[in-house]
Amino acid sequence: MKLKLWLKLHKINKAGKAPVSLRITLYGKRAEYSSEIRLFPDEWDQATETILPTRRKQATVDKDNDLLEELKADARQAKNSLPKSQRTALNVAKEMRGIMPDEDATTCLLAALDRILATHYQHANQSTLQPFTRAAALLRKWHGPGHLPAASFTEDRRDAFGLWLAGQMASSSARTYLSALTAMWNRVKAWPHTRRSFRPFFGLRLPRHSGRKRTVLTKEQLLVMQEAALPPKQALARDIYMACFYLHGSRVSAVMQLRWQNVDFTKGEVKYKAMKSGPEKTIALKGPLLPLLLRYHHSSAAGNDLIFPILPPDFFSLTLNQRHVQNRAANVRILRRLYTLCKNLGLPEHVHPHTARHTMAVLTVEANNGDIRAAQHVLGHSTYRQTETYLRKMLPEQINDAAANVYDSF
């Protein structure tokens, strides 16, 4: 049996930390066991498989290194405790988790969810933790008090829960929560008899949810929005929307968190991170972007001050959880104000902050003779297929026009 500790950089969270996992290899087969420790990349030495004292005290680092060594010892002990016929990498990991093969009928699915949320997903970012916690709460509400054994959660009961869930919310949200439950149960091995990932809700057909049509504003509609005289709160929402558009279709979360230190008036550029794990983006201060930003600039503005006063002034001193809550609340405020001002101006009402990105994609393709690569690089997509998803659902009128041009040519 080979044991290897490694830092799973592909699982890095918003805080920049990645989990340390124990890889168990036995007879050519692999299994993973989480150490429940998360580190910054510069804290880990893969050559020696140890934590480095680059950010934390030596005593804390020594304690965590001892825990990692104990994991290897536990793996060896788990292997020796198994009969020779059951010595596989997967069974060793199950033995370390305390899941025995004869627990199929007694494993409580609700307890399994509580266990995995407390031991693993509490270290994840809030965008993952919140829907996963909500999914567990919905299952508990449907089932009521008492245990929910895995053996009793038959196909009929799974379908009944899925249909009940679809009756409580949009089918797209129901699918999200069913996927969250599946992911948690597979991670905790709630069905130990299955070697592969188990899909408990496979085959369940939920009613389709068409949703609202995404709205792309035309150049004329953008000008109407930009030049309208609005109340202060609506004007702030409008300016954030237009900033998303002029900053190459940036996401609203990045625009709301812009600070004056990101703006260099001398060089005439705005430099910031458009995505949490992406490179810095540099955009020239040209056209209407400069006067838009100057409307919020004042002589006493410090570098750490936010440009748009939609988030709390102490936003960057808050915890990740508190930042997530403030971001969501600010998004809702912007959405409501955009809806009101669009309704008053006679513009399409289904406008939300992200449609500025969609609008930028469509107008960029139109201005560059249909070259989708231009929109791909402006938006910062890694592949053109990501950009296609923006355009395929947004251009039914252009599709009709393209077909009409063919007919006219005959």
Side-chain angles (χ1 to χ4, degrees), residues 86-387:
Q86 296 183 11
R87 288 182 181 177
T88 64
L90 185 61
N91 284 341
V92 170
K94 287 180 180 179
E95 183 73 17
M96 294 176 69
R97 295 188 185 102
I99 301 174
M100 302 303 293
D102 58 350
E103 287 184 343
D104 283 13
T106 59
T107 300
C108 178
L109 297 180
L110 296 174
L113 293 176
D114 293 339
R115 184 164 70 250
I116 195 64
L117 282 170
T119 59
H120 178 78
Y121 286 104
Q122 68 176 359
H123 303 295
N125 58 52
Q126 294 299 314
S127 298
T128 302
L129 180 60
Q130 283 194 353
F132 278 36
T133 306
R134 173 69 172 156
L138 286 168
L139 178 62
R140 194 178 297 277
K141 178 181 178 181
W142 171 79
H143 175 67
H147 294 282
L148 178 59
S152 69
F153 201 54
T154 59
E155 184 175 344
D156 291 340
R157 294 203 70 193
R158 295 195 295 266
D159 291 351
F161 170 67
L163 294 174
W164 174 84
L165 197 62
Q168 304 293 314
M169 60 194 66
S171 55
S172 56
S173 300
R175 289 188 180 90
T176 299
Y177 291 134
L178 294 179
S179 299
L181 290 173
T182 301
M184 288 189 284
W185 282 332
N186 280 328
R187 181 170 288 277
V188 80
K189 303 298 180 186
W191 280 271
H193 62 280
T194 59
R195 293 188 176 182
R196 299 180 180 179
S197 295
F198 184 56
R199 296 188 290 173
F201 302 103
F202 179 74
L204 175 62
R205 296 188 178 276
L206 299 177
R208 288 287 177 185
H209 178 66
S210 59
R212 292 177 176 175
K213 182 182 176 182
R214 293 176 178 176
T215 302
V216 175
L217 299 180
T218 63
K219 297 177 183 178
E220 293 75 16
Q221 290 171 336
L222 281 175
L223 289 174
V224 170
M225 178 186 287
Q226 179 175 286
E227 297 173 358
L230 299 171
K233 291 184 178 180
Q234 293 182 18
L236 175 60
R238 184 266 315 273
D239 290 343
I240 293 176
Y241 184 90
M242 297 306 300
C244 293
F245 176 76
Y246 288 126
L247 289 167
H248 294 186
S250 291
R251 294 172 175 85
V252 66
S253 58
V255 173
M256 288 192 301
Q257 296 177 31
L258 279 177
R259 294 182 279 184
W260 289 115
Q261 64 187 19
N262 300 118
V263 183
D264 192 334
F265 290 107
T266 305
K267 294 183 179 180
E269 63 184 23
V270 182
K271 194 172 184 180
Y272 66 104
K273 262 198 170 185
M275 294 186 294
K276 63 175 183 179
S277 57
E280 283 194 332
K281 193 170 186 176
T282 303
I283 297 176
L285 276 173
K286 291 183 178 179
L289 178 60
L290 179 59
L292 190 154
L293 296 180
L294 288 176
R295 281 204 293 270
Y296 294 89
H297 190 266
H298 49 87
S299 57
S300 60
N304 289 328
D305 291 345
L306 292 165
I307 294 178
F308 299 105
I310 192 73
L311 294 172
D314 59 342
F315 176 78
F316 290 96
S317 63
L318 302 176
T319 64
L320 289 177
N321 187 15
Q322 292 171 332
R323 290 188 197 180
H324 180 77
V325 172
Q326 293 296 335
N327 261 323
R328 293 290 295 271
N331 263 295
V332 172
R333 289 197 296 272
I334 294 173
L335 178 61
R336 290 175 177 172
R337 294 171 189 177
L338 282 175
Y339 176 83
T340 303
L341 72 90
C342 288
K343 185 176 181 179
N344 294 337
L345 296 176
L347 300 175
E349 297 175 7
H350 302 316
V351 173
H352 56 85
H354 200 69
T355 56
R357 188 168 174 82
H358 300 159
T359 302
M360 188 63 187
V362 174
L363 296 183
T364 303
V365 171
E366 290 178 352
N368 290 275
N369 300 320
D371 186 3
I372 196 172
R373 293 174 300 173
Q376 173 195 340
H377 293 296
V378 167
L379 297 180
H381 287 156
S382 57
T383 65
Y384 73 92
R385 294 186 183 276
Q386 292 176 281
T387 315

